[in-house]
Amino acid sequence: MQVTGASDRLEAGGPMKEVLQRADRAVATAETAVLVFVVATILVLAFAQVVLKMLGAGVQWVEMLSRYLVLWVGFLGGAVASHQGRHITIDVVSRFVKGPAARAVSAVVSGVSFALCAVLLVISCSFVSQKVSDGSVAFAVGATDIPEWGMVLVVPVGFGLMAWHFAVQTLGPVQAEQGGGA
Amino acid sequence: MTVLLAQGFVILLALMGLPLFLVLAALALLGYLDSGQSVALFFASNIRPVATNPIFLAIPLFTLAGYLMAESGAPNRIVRLSRAAVGWMPGGLAIVALVACAGFTAFTGASGVTIVALGGLLMPALLKDGYPDRFALGLLTTGGSRGLLFPPSLPLIVYAMIAGLAMEGASQMRLDAGPASAEVASETPARSARSDVEKALDDELDRIMGEREQEVREPQGEPKKSDEAAGEEIDVEAEVAAMRAAPPAQDSATGTPEVVAEAPASGQAPAQVSVDRLFVAGALPGAFALTLVGLYTMFIGVRQRVPRSRFDGRELARAIRSTAWELPIPLIIVVGIYGGFFTAIDAAAIVAAYVFVVEVLIYRDIAFRALGRIFRESMVLVGGILLILMSALALTNYFIDREVPQKLFALIRDSITSPFTFLLILNGFLLVVGCLMDIFSAILVVVPIITPIALHYGIDPIHLGIVFLTNLEIGFSTPPVGVNLFVGALAFRRPVVELYRATLPFLAISLIALIAITYWPDLSLFLVRWTGVR
């Protein structure tokens, strides 16, 4: 397992590439903002539920919502990890390969990652559309049923975002901004 | 053939640095294609578990708590307290480092922040006290995983979840959808509109999740049903069957826990793997391994004539007062879970909220401005782990569908007959796995295959879990790809090769502990039986 920051090598590139990379950072900033909000929500909901349960008044939807939000953390966190190049990898080759060869390897890996995320995006879209058509309910808040597709929508969105980040990275390593965040 | 080639290609890409979750996802998708299943099954097998299984909730909560503590002044306070409490012992500061590392790793869910949080603090101090450079390096590098067996370590949680699924797959086949699953299926009114595949998965999961899930779904459900809550049904039935079979006199002599423990050996449904049970089981083996390293540390300390601090009651009192707000955290976990007051997931919520209040509002170690960054940093790790978990669930589903464990068992059944031989070979195998894979992928890929086979040999799944995690704890620091080595190399600014050498004596001691843990099942199982945690 290796957890590293995205390489900060600077490369010459056309204006198009720069625009794309700037867009990439903007997307990541938005992802981070939503991610932080979702985590804060989980923290509050999970603790509230424990207190409510101790008082013998556990609320079903609070618990269900906090569990579904874990899915959101997974995909949004995964998207930010894709942007920062911080996914968990086995990565033996890069310890022995340096220079242009290393850049070629990382471009290939980014390309394949993009392709796989695109495939998973398509499959997850059909998964969500099935949820829409069968009308399954995730949980009910009072008398209002929250449809399950609304909760799992983050799956295709997440794969879409990851596909985007990997696509931009095929152009070369993105300089991840540090310290930013929401 | 084409699929096999493609899978080989995926492995090659994995070595080139393809994110692990995509490696596992690609392998699963290729597997589905190969066996003529719809690739749509990929999400049917993993979204639902993550979205509904409470275990997953513990991962972001414990990780967040760990990151908040690492960023606060807690490392300083913990070192100060450890020094005041055990600095007088032979071995002095090294014992302090050992205890602080184990405690901190357990707190932070073994997410790898220990070395960064404590290493920089302790390394210069150890050198100043006259410890050999190599010894200090090895101690702190391996210290990053020392608390792996203590709650609330993340690998412990992940193991419980994956082994539960794997056992479910195994028992499903053996029981051939017996009365237990029929009953569960009949009490799912809100879920009638789903496909058969998903429904079967739901039922499976409900059983694993046990009563917690049931309570929430049906707050006013009939008491009878929540009594025989889904997760324990197999357990209870096996127990009843065993008690019926056993003569009454022996029954009263051995008691219920014994009967449960004997169930796997007699080919009955095995004891349940739950986070709570693993949390309890890990305590003694973890303490045992810690003691062995402690003795070695004392030996080095005495040999080097390192200074010891005199025991000072007043300094200890001051140190306790300075950590007064953090000290209750292990108590929350220990009393809550070991005493059966609440579950590991409740503990995660309480600890996360508590740590947030303490570090941000009471100690004010963390500025509000920094919160966004800390939340993001911790969730990038969590996101990575959750995505791997989901891909691995899909792959597990494929393995179980293709009956890979059964085939493997058939292959080795004739040559390996005793459980002891099996465990010996398993240890060798896992050490190799630990060297090549990181801990999460190892759990996710290997556990589903190993668990059903181990059950055939009558090995208690809880004991298996402790053996498994001890192996991986060693693997954490084993060349060439133990994660501790790389984190250590970064934290101490040393070449990795130097760390390889430094960790060797510690790995040797860990191996001795591993052998004891492997061949002394009661070390792992005693507390589980004694406390009767489910």
Side-chain angles (χ1 to χ4, degrees), chain A residues 6-10 21 24-25 83 172-178:
Chain A
S7 165
D8 50 8
R9 273 171 295 160
L10 282 173
Q21 295 193 336
D24 192 54
R25 281 193 289 271
H83 168 69
V174 175
Q175 210 181 357
E177 83 280 36
Q178 293 296 317

Side-chain angles (χ1 to χ4, degrees), chain B residues 155-496:
Chain B
L156 217 55
I157 298 174
V158 173
Y159 179 89
M161 128 114 247
I162 296 295
L165 270 177
M167 284 175 55
E168 211 47 40
S171 62
Q172 187 114 28
M173 266 161 254
R174 211 174 318 136
L175 298 175
D176 196 24
S181 64
E183 203 170 315
V184 177
S186 67
E187 51 174 79
T188 50
R191 293 177 250 162
S192 50
R194 262 184 232 114
S195 71
D196 283 353
V197 179
E198 268 199 281
K199 201 162 182 176
L201 276 161
D202 275 0
D203 296 344
E204 249 180 69
L205 282 163
D206 280 353
R207 276 218 299 262
I208 304 159
M209 280 180 259
E211 76 256 273
R212 275 164 258 143
E213 167 74 359
Q214 221 64 29
E215 269 169 22
V216 174
R217 283 242 168 110
E218 303 168 274
Q220 306 104 345
E222 302 105 293
K224 183 180 164 273
K225 272 178 187 167
S226 60
D227 270 352
E228 350 171 314
E232 294 144 41
E233 268 173 43
I234 297 175
D235 216 17
V236 171
E237 272 177 22
E239 224 175 281
V240 171
M243 276 195 278
R244 274 193 199 132
Q250 194 200 332
D251 192 2
S252 59
T254 49
T256 327
E258 288 291 330
V259 176
V260 176
E262 276 167 24
S266 57
Q268 299 274 351
Q272 196 74 18
V273 179
S274 70
V275 184
D276 299 341
R277 295 188 87 164
L278 265 183
F279 273 10
V280 174
L284 282 182
F288 175 73
L290 202 60
T291 309
L292 280 190
V293 183
L295 289 175
Y296 171 69
T297 303
M298 284 180 189
F299 167 72
I300 294 287
V302 170
R303 200 185 60 186
Q304 298 289 326
R305 300 175 199 285
V306 293
R308 303 185 212 169
S309 52
R310 284 261 293 282
F311 181 77
D312 179 352
R314 261 177 303 175
E315 164 59 13
L316 180 62
R318 275 196 299 272
I320 288 177
R321 219 173 304 135
S322 84
T323 46
W325 288 101
E326 278 140 355
L327 277 179
I329 297 170
L331 281 182
I332 295 173
I333 295 166
V334 169
V335 174
I337 296 174
Y338 288 56
F341 293 107
F342 44 71
T343 66
I345 292 93
D346 293 341
I350 294 169
V351 166
Y354 184 85
V355 166
F356 183 88
V357 170
V358 166
E359 306 299 355
V360 179
L361 302 177
I362 296 179
Y363 284 119
R364 291 169 185 272
D365 284 339
I366 297 171
F368 273 101
R369 263 179 301 115
L371 279 178
R373 182 180 54 81
I374 296 171
F375 276 37
R376 183 193 65 190
E377 288 301 298
S378 58
M379 290 309 124
V380 164
L381 177 75
V382 169
I385 292 172
L386 284 174
L387 288 179
I388 291 175
L389 268 164
M390 288 181 30
S391 295
L393 282 174
L395 192 62
T396 301
N397 194 38
Y398 165 71
F399 281 150
I400 289 178
D401 186 68
R402 295 300 297 272
E403 304 193 339
V404 171
Q406 285 89 332
K407 284 174 187 159
L408 233 110
F409 177 59
L411 210 66
I412 61 170
R413 179 164 38 192
D414 296 328
S415 42
I416 305 172
T417 46
S418 87
F420 284 105
T421 323
F422 172 75
L423 280 175
L424 185 70
I425 291 171
L426 182 69
N427 274 337
F429 171 70
L430 286 178
L431 284 176
V432 175
V433 168
C435 299
L436 296 174
M437 278 190 199
D438 81 279
I439 195 153
F440 292 108
S441 37
I443 292 175
L444 297 165
V445 176
V446 179
V447 168
I449 300 174
I450 292 299
T451 307
I453 299 177
L455 292 182
H456 277 293
Y457 284 105
I459 295 160
D460 189 292
I462 299 284
H463 178 221
L464 180 71
I466 300 301
V467 169
F468 200 99
L469 290 169
T470 310
N471 267 300
L472 295 187
E473 179 180 316
I474 299 173
F476 250 150
S477 310
T478 311
V481 291
V483 65
N484 279 347
L485 297 168
F486 295 109
V487 179
L490 277 175
F492 305 126
R493 296 173 200 280
R494 301 289 183 90
V496 180

Side-chain angles (χ1 to χ4, degrees), chain A residues 1-3 32 35-36 39-40 42-43 46-47 49-50 53-54 58-60 63-64 66-68 70-71 73-75 77-82 84 86-95 105 108-109 112-114 116-117 119-120 123-124 126-127 130-131 134 136-137 148 152 155 159 162 166 177-182, chain B residues 13-23 25-26 29 39-40 42-44 47-48 50-54 56-57 60-61 64 67 193-195 198 209 212-213 215-217 219 342 345-346 349-350 352-353 356 369 372-373 375-377 379-388 390 436-438 440 480-481 483 486 490:
Chain A
M1 180 166 118
Q2 195 189 13
V3 183
T32 305
L35 177 63
V36 169
V39 178
I42 288 181
L43 187 62
F47 184 67
Q49 177 69 357
V50 172
K53 270 198 290 194
M54 280 173 178
V59 181
Q60 189 187 350
E63 179 123 359
M64 291 311 288
S66 57
R67 288 183 201 169
Y68 273 103
V70 173
L71 203 61
V73 166
F75 279 93
V80 178
S82 303
Q84 299 183 346
R86 282 176 54 186
H87 272 293
I88 295 168
T89 63
I90 299 175
D91 193 15
V92 180
V93 173
S94 75
R95 295 208 179 98
V105 165
V108 168
V109 167
V112 175
S113 303
F114 162 74
L116 281 169
C117 283
V119 169
L120 290 165
I123 301 174
S124 62
S126 73
F127 172 78
Q130 188 210 330
K131 291 285 167 206
D134 72 14
S136 48
V137 173
E148 193 168 10
V152 297
V155 179
F159 281 122
M162 283 187 266
F166 285 126
E177 83 280 36
Q178 293 296 317
Chain B
L13 280 164
L15 297 179
M16 287 167 67
L18 187 69
L20 201 60
F21 83 98
L22 289 173
V23 173
L29 288 176
V39 286
F42 185 86
F43 288 109
I47 297 292
R48 191 96 198 136
V50 174
T52 53
N53 193 325
F56 288 96
L57 192 52
L61 291 172
L64 183 61
Y67 267 75
R194 262 184 232 114
S195 71
E198 268 199 281
M209 280 180 259
R212 275 164 258 143
E213 167 74 359
E215 269 169 22
V216 174
R217 283 242 168 110
F342 44 71
I345 292 93
D346 293 341
I350 294 169
F356 183 88
R369 263 179 301 115
R373 182 180 54 81
F375 276 37
R376 183 193 65 190
E377 288 301 298
M379 290 309 124
V380 164
L381 177 75
V382 169
I385 292 172
L386 284 174
L387 288 179
I388 291 175
M390 288 181 30
L436 296 174
M437 278 190 199
D438 81 279
F440 292 108
V481 291
V483 65
F486 295 109
L490 277 175

Side-chain angles (χ1 to χ4, degrees), chain A residues 25-39:
Chain A
R25 281 193 289 271
V27 171
T29 306
E31 287 162 1
T32 305
V34 180
L35 177 63
V36 169
F37 175 73
V38 169
V39 178

